[in-house]
């Protein structure tokens, strides 16, 4: 069963996440399909990509596939984790990727969406950072990327500490959602923007996108600070709360956190 669909219209590629049954949870299989789609569009020198869920899907993506999270003793968001692979593929893609969002976005999928270059949504769009729901210690690279994309440490802390969805209106107010349009106009609006991008200099855009990524990532971190962060995170993913969070989700019950 394919977990994505790809279509090319002129110089614009459209990748649709189609794993509706699992609300497009970012499993290894779905991320592998997304990366393969991007690879084919890169070879075809596509000049813009639209990343979307199926029309009518109420969830753009439910985030990391919880059933694939390690139970304990291993970093749940390590460098080669599917989510990290997907975020890197989107950020390193040679051309702009437009996230077209007409539903809710959860957990690590928020980082995937915010790794795209332009976000266009409807009033149905929302963004919920939910590691605290599951007892997961988010990772430093992801936090830095979210800080850069959200642009406000206060808003990001509220998102992490409450796990409440950021509404489309608020996301638009702070610049996360570039445009909020009616559902009926979403596809036309997004494809028109993508087609406009495809008429501009692909080399200039490619080099500017790469420069922004490299400058965004140019945050010096001493080895000592990095190791302290990893030690803090290990305390969390080795905790009983971490195991409780994942088990509760899979058992479809509310977690009970003891703080250890
Ligand atoms: O029971 P079945 O087999 O039909 O499967 C259900 C859900 O278990 C499954 N599903 C997921 N499976 C794995 N990982 C997920 N993240 C996930 N989300 C959903 O999809 C089937 C339909 O789900 P259901 O019945 O709940 O659908 P719904 O329409 O009523 O509700 C949609 C959601 C998205 C509101 C709901 O599924 C939900 O709250 N999902 C979890 C969202 C979430 O907390 N994601 C964060 C995952 S952890 C992550 O991204 C990072 C590690 S971190 O935590 O650091 O952010």
């Amino acid at each position: 069963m394919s977990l994505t669909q790809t279509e090319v219209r002129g110089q614009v590629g459209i990748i649709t996440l189609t794993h509706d049954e699992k609300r497009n949870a970012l499993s290894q299989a779905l991320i592998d399909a997304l990366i393969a789609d991007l690879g084919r569009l890169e070879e075809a020198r596509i000049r813009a990509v639209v990343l979307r869920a199926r029309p009518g899907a109420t969830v753009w993506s439910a985030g990391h596939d919880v059933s694939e999270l390690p139970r304990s003793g291993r970093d749940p968001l390590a460098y080669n984790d599917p989510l990290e692979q997907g975020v890197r593929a989107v950020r390193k893609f040679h051309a702009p990727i437009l996230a077209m969002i007409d539903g809710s976005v959860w957990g690590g999928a928020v980082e995937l969406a915010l790794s795209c270059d332009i976000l266009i949504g409807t009033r149905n769009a929302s963004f919920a950072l939910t590691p605290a729901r599951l007892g997961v210690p988010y990772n430093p690279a992801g936090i830095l990327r979210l800080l850069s994309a959200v642009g406000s440490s206060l808003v990001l802390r509220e998102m992490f500490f409450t796990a409440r969805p950021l509404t489309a209106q608020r996301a638009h107010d702070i610049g996360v959602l570039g445009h909020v349009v009616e559902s009926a106009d979403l596809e036309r609006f997004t494809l028109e923007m993508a087609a406009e991008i495809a008429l501009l200099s692909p080399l200039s855009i490619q080099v500017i996108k790469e420069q922004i990524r490299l400058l965004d990532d140019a945050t010096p971190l001493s080895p000592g600070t990095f190791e302290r962060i990893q030690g803090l995170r290990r305390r969390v993913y080795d905790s009983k709360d971490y195991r409780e969070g994942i088990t509760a989700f899979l058992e479809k019950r509310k977690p009970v956190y003891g703080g250890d």
Side-chain angles (χ1 to χ4, degrees), residues 129-133 153-164:
L129 282 173
T130 51
R133 258 197 192 171
S153 170
L154 279 170
V155 171
L156 188 64
R157 277 178 274 171
E158 180 183 328
M159 291 179 75
F160 269 126
F161 302 160
T162 67
R164 275 189 192 171

Side-chain angles (χ1 to χ4, degrees), residues 21-23 25 58-59 62-67 69 77 83 104 106-109 130-131 133-134 136 138 249 252:
E21 302 71 34
K22 290 290 183 184
R23 304 300 184 268
T58 56
V59 179
H64 201 298
D65 185 327
V66 175
S67 67
L69 285 171
L77 290 174
L83 172 64
S104 57
W106 300 82
T130 51
R133 258 197 192 171
L134 287 167
V136 172
Y138 217 73
F249 178 84
K252 299 188 185 300

Side-chain angles (χ1 to χ4, degrees), residues 4-18 34 37-38 40-41 46-55 93 96-98 100 187-188 190-192 194-195:
T4 62
Q5 277 168 1
T6 308
E7 181 191 348
V8 174
R9 294 188 198 176
Q11 298 274 16
V12 174
I14 303 166
I15 299 176
T16 304
L17 305 176
T18 57
L34 172 61
D37 294 340
L38 288 171
R40 280 190 293 277
L41 295 175
I46 280 295
R47 296 190 179 177
V49 169
V50 173
L51 181 59
R52 60 171 300 165
R54 251 208 261 266
F93 188 71
I97 298 180
L98 293 78
M100 192 174 111
E187 185 169 320
R188 176 191 55 73
T190 307
L191 287 173
E192 275 177 6

Side-chain angles (χ1 to χ4, degrees), residues 91 140-141 143-145 147-148 213-222 225-226:
R91 297 178 82 239
I143 289 174
L144 272 175
R145 289 191 284 260
L147 262 175
S148 170
R213 182 175 67 82
L214 292 171
L215 292 168
D216 236 356
D217 291 350
T219 309
L221 202 58
S222 74
T225 303
F226 175 76

